[in-house]
Every structure is written in structure tokens, then in C-alpha cells.
């Protein structure tokens, strides 16, 4: 028993020592990297690397699952808030790399609807932290203005506290004139909710009657015009006949050859609108005034998603070593989306972790382009051989 307590004490001591050493290494590394000469050299190298990246294809839409802030803070014996602050600094650096490289849309997973299942104390803390992060993001106005970034918050607005919602609307208003790049902040968000909302809105649109537009040369319009003229002529002849009784016999013979309608001599002249309604085509009357549900396609659903009108998602990156999407961008991920899981925690994520991901993405795209060109060339040779 004493031996096991001794082992436990040694284990706790070694764990604390390891954590302390890790924290010291982190502080030393941070101090070295922030020294003016090293910072200047790293900046020059970073500019060269980003310039090299721009020579190849660049993903137009990149998404990030910013995971690992709390674990980073715990492993470095920091407050959780400090871990989230370091995570925000990492986001600001990554955004600059993305926009400087030529990425047009960046989507980040900031808050899941599932987080509302946590305790009220934790949810309130996360909301307050979101308010602080949004304020910090607006403080980086030079970054947003330099690259023309417009902020969009995607998710269920009705779940957001009113004071935070006012700050979100203010951020969107301040950047609404920017249009060169977009930052989508998913808050609060899940893909299931997004897809459900898109289907619901599609059903609402298809439940509305379609506007009727009369084409001047359509078959129904021509038939309607001819019928109206014939009925007007018939009604005019009947009125003339009722005024001159002597010519009633003649007009009866003429009307019998031109019209199949039988009228009582003492009856009043018919209303052309009533006659027109009696002669309406029942097929036209029963014609559907609503859009055909069979015409609903994936493109129509895509137009009702939060990301409607944006480039397709080409690259999704998640940090912290967790290999799942956690109900994020499930609709947007398709066969051409590269999904990358990295073991580093989000506060550690920077250009040096992101650069290999972008280089691999470029290599795959070049390989796919070469394969496509080879297939086209092979097909042309086959056609020439058959023609010869």
C-alpha cells in the first residue's frame, strides 16, 4: 500500500514537472519569436511562402473547426479564458494568411447549438466570451478593411441573447460595404438545423401560388382573344335584332350559321363576360397554379442554405486530433472537399501547420487536372482512331 502511494506521489510530481517544463518552453518560444529580429525574419519568410502559394491554385472556400482551446489552457496551466484568447490570436493570424493567399470565403465553427445543453453558468460564460471575441474582431478593423472582409453570422438568431445579437448586427453593419472576402461565423449552428431550415423554407416557397404571366402569343391567349371577339360580335347582333323586329328573320338565319347558341326572342342581350365564362376551357381552369414538387433538386436546396451564393467548400480543417465533423458543414462537404484532421491544438495552429495542408491541396488539384487532361486526350485519340 505504501509502495502504491509512493508511486502515485512520484507520478503526480513528474506530471507537474512536465507541465511546468512545457509551460516554460512555450514562454521561451513565444519570447524568442516575438523578439524584433526574429519577428522580422519570420515575416519575410512568411511573405515569400505566401507569394509562392499564390502561384498555384488556391481554395476559394476554407472552413475551420477551432478545437483545443480548453485543452491547451489546461495543459499549460492557464485559465480557460486565456486559452480562448490565444485561440482568437491564432484565428486572426490564420485569417490573414488565408486572405493574403487568395481565399475568398472562410467559415469558422464558433458555437454549436448542442452547447446549450451545458450548465447555465457555462452557457452564459460562453456567450460573454463570444461578445468579447466579437469586440476583439472588430478591433482588428485594419485586417478586415485591408482585405475587404464582410462578417456574416450563420445560425439560429432567436437563440442569441438580445445584447449579443445587437453586437452581431453592429458588426455586420460595419462591414456590409466590404465584398472582396467573407468571414462566416457559425454561431449558434448545427448542420441538422441548417438543413431543416432549408427544407422548411423550400416547402414554404413551393406552397405559394405562382404569378400568372400572360404571353401575347401563347395558344391560350390567342384562343381567349378569338373567343372574346366572337362573343362580342354575337352580342352586338342580338342587340341590333331586338331593336329592329322586321329584320329578325334574316338575322336568325345568319346567326344560326355563325353561332350555335339558342336564345329566347324575349330574353335580354347576353353578357359577353358570362358567355366567356361558360365557354372557358375546363383544362385551363384546372391547370395547377403551384410549382411542381418534382422539380425540387439539390441545387434548389443549396440555394436555401446559409452558404447560398458562396463558392463550394473545398477544404475543411479540424485541429486537436479529433476526427469527426461534429455536425458542421455536412451539406457543404462533397466529393471534392478535402477534410484534414491535425493533431495540434487550435492556439498552436499557424502558417507552419497550415502550409503543408495547402501544399497538399495544391498537389492534389494539379494531379486531378493532369488526370482529366489525360482522359480527354485519350478520348480524342480513340475518336480519331475510330474515324480513321
Amino acid at each position: 500500500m505504501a509502495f502504491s502511494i509512493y508511486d502515485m506521489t512520484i507520478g503526480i510530481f513528474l506530471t507537474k514537472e512536465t507541465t511546468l517544463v512545457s509551460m516554460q518552453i512555450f514562454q521561451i518560444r513565444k519570447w524568442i519569436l516575438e523578439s524584433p529580429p526574429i519577428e522580422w525574419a519570420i515575416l519575410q519568410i512568411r511573405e515569400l511562402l505566401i507569394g509562392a502559394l499564390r502561384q498555384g491554385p488556391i481554395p476559394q472556400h476554407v472552413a475551420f473547426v477551432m478545437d483545443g482551446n480548453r485543452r491547451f489552457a489546461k495543459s499549460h496551466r492557464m485559465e480557460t479564458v486565456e486559452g480562448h484568447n490565444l485561440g482568437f490570436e491564432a484565428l486572426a493570424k490564420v485569417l490573414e494568411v488565408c486572405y493574403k493567399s487568395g481565399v475568398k470565403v472562410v467559415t469558422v465553427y464558433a458555437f454549436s447549438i448542442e452547447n446549450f445543453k451545458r450548465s447555465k453558468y457555462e452557457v452564459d460564460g460562453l456567450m460573454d466570451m463570444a461578445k468579447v471575441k466579437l469586440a476583439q474582431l472588430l478591433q482588428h478593423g485594419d485586417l478586415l478593411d485591408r482585405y475587404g472582409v464582410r462578417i456574416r453570422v450563420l445560425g439560429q438568431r432567436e437563440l442569441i441573447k438580445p445584447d449579443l445579437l445587437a453586437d452581431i448586427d453592429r458588426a455586420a453593419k460595419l462591414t456590409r460595404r466590404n465584398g472582396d472576402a467573407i468571414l462566416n461565423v457559425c454561431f449558434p449552428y448545427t448542420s441538422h438545423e441548417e438543413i431543416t431550415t432549408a427544407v422548411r423554407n423550400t416547402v414554404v416557397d413551393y406552397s405559394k401560388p405562382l404569378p400568372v404571366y400572360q404571353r401575347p402569343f401563347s395558344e391560350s391567349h390567342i384562343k381567349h382573344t378569338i373567343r372574346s371577339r366572337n362573343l362580342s360580335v354575337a352580342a352586338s347582333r342580338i342587340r341590333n335584332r331586338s331593336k329592329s323586329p322586321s329584320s329578325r328573320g334574316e338575322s336568325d338565319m345568319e346567326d344560326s350559321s355563325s353561332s350555335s347558341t339558342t336564345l329566347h326572342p324575349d330574353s335580354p342581350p347576353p353578357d359577353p363576360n358570362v358567355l366567356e365564362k361558360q365557354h372557358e376551357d375546363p383544362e385551363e381552369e384546372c391547370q395547377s397554379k403551384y410549382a411542381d414538387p418534382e422539380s425540387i433538386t439539390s441545387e434548389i436546396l443549396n440555394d436555401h442554405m446559409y452558404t447560398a451564393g458562396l463558392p463550394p467548400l473545398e477544404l475543411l480543417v479540424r485541429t486537436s486530433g479529433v476526427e469527426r465533423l461534429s455536425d458542421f458543414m455536412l451539406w457543404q462537404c462533397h466529393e471534392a472537399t478535402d477534410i484534414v484532421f491535425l493533431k495540434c491544438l487550435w492556439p498552436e495552429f499557424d502558417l507552419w501547420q497550415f502550409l503543408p495542408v495547402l501544399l497538399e491541396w495544391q498537389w492534389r488539384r494539379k494531379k486531378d487536372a493532369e488526370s482529366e487532361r489525360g482522359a480527354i486526350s485519350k478520348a480524342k485519340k480513340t475518336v480519331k482512331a475510330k474515324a480513321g
Side-chain angles (χ1 to χ4, degrees), residues 59-70:
Q60 295 301 289
H61 189 173
V62 179
F64 295 101
V65 180
M66 305 179 293
D67 194 15
N69 292 338
R70 297 166 70 183

Side-chain angles (χ1 to χ4, degrees), residues 33-104:
L33 293 177
E34 289 180 354
S35 62
I38 300 297
E39 190 175 6
W40 180 84
I42 290 175
L43 182 62
Q44 300 305 312
I45 294 172
R46 188 180 69 170
E47 293 297 324
L48 288 172
L49 291 174
I50 292 176
L53 282 173
R54 291 180 65 92
Q55 303 306 312
I58 294 293
Q60 295 301 289
H61 189 173
V62 179
F64 295 101
V65 180
M66 305 179 293
D67 194 15
N69 292 338
R70 297 166 70 183
R71 270 176 283 173
F72 182 86
K74 187 177 180 181
S75 64
H76 290 82
R77 303 187 68 178
M78 301 175 179
E79 292 291 334
T80 304
V81 175
E82 184 63 23
H84 286 290
N85 287 335
L86 292 173
F88 173 77
E89 291 179 10
L91 173 62
K93 293 176 183 177
V94 170
L95 287 177
E96 188 168 11
V97 171
C98 287
Y99 296 133
K100 189 173 287 188
S101 300
V103 177
K104 295 298 182 185

Side-chain angles (χ1 to χ4, degrees), residues 293-342:
E294 296 294 330
S295 64
I296 298 176
T297 61
S298 60
E299 288 77 13
I300 290 176
L301 289 177
N302 193 60
D303 291 340
H304 288 83
M305 296 291 167
Y306 293 147
T307 54
L310 300 180
L313 181 62
E314 296 181 277
L315 178 62
L316 188 147
V317 179
R318 177 168 187 162
T319 55
S320 81
V322 177
E323 297 186 1
R324 63 173 182 267
L325 296 181
S326 297
D327 208 359
F328 177 60
M329 305 293 280
L330 300 182
W331 176 271
Q332 288 79 6
C333 289
H334 52 91
E335 67 276 1
T337 303
D338 284 5
I339 302 175
V340 180
F341 300 105
L342 300 176

Side-chain angles (χ1 to χ4, degrees), residues 143-158:
L143 172 65
L144 301 177
D145 293 337
R146 190 186 317 145
Y147 299 104
V149 181
R150 180 160 55 96
I151 297 177
R152 299 173 69 241
V153 177
L154 313 181
Q156 284 191 293
R157 292 172 56 89
E158 61 271 17

Side-chain angles (χ1 to χ4, degrees), residues 118-271:
R118 301 179 182 180
S119 65
K120 185 179 184 301
Y121 174 78
E122 189 173 359
V123 170
D124 290 342
L126 288 170
M127 286 290 180
D128 293 339
M129 191 177 300
K131 191 172 183 179
V132 172
K133 283 186 176 183
L134 189 61
Q136 290 177 340
L137 189 61
L138 291 177
Q139 287 174 3
H140 287 70
D142 55 340
L143 172 65
L144 301 177
D145 293 337
R146 190 186 317 145
Y147 299 104
V149 181
R150 180 160 55 96
I151 297 177
R152 299 173 69 241
V153 177
L154 313 181
Q156 284 191 293
R157 292 172 56 89
E158 61 271 17
L159 299 178
I160 304 175
K161 295 169 68 174
D163 56 338
L164 178 56
L165 186 60
D167 290 342
I168 288 173
D169 292 337
R170 185 169 63 89
K173 186 177 180 180
L174 288 174
T175 61
R176 72 182 185 276
R177 297 184 183 277
N178 298 339
D180 296 333
I182 293 174
L183 171 60
N184 292 322
V185 182
C186 295
F187 178 93
Y189 170 93
T190 61
S191 280
H192 279 74
E193 182 273 329
E194 179 186 16
I195 295 171
T196 302
T197 302
V199 172
R200 186 188 303 116
N201 292 338
T202 303
V203 171
V204 169
D205 288 348
Y206 272 70
S207 300
K208 296 176 182 177
L210 294 173
V212 179
Y213 299 105
Q214 276 280 27
R215 293 180 300 167
F217 297 106
S218 65
E219 182 180 353
S220 60
H221 184 68
I222 294 172
K223 287 166 61 178
H224 178 271
T225 304
I226 295 174
R227 186 183 302 123
S228 298
R229 289 179 179 175
N230 289 340
L231 290 173
S232 298
V233 171
S236 176
R237 287 175 177 173
I238 291 171
R239 282 194 295 269
N240 293 334
R241 184 181 57 186
S242 62
K243 290 179 182 178
S244 55
S246 58
S247 60
R248 184 171 296 172
E250 260 180 45
S251 61
D252 284 344
M253 300 231 359
E254 191 177 344
D255 289 342
S256 63
S257 61
S258 60
S259 174
S260 59
T261 305
T262 306
L263 297 170
H264 193 276
D266 298 328
S267 62
D271 187 353

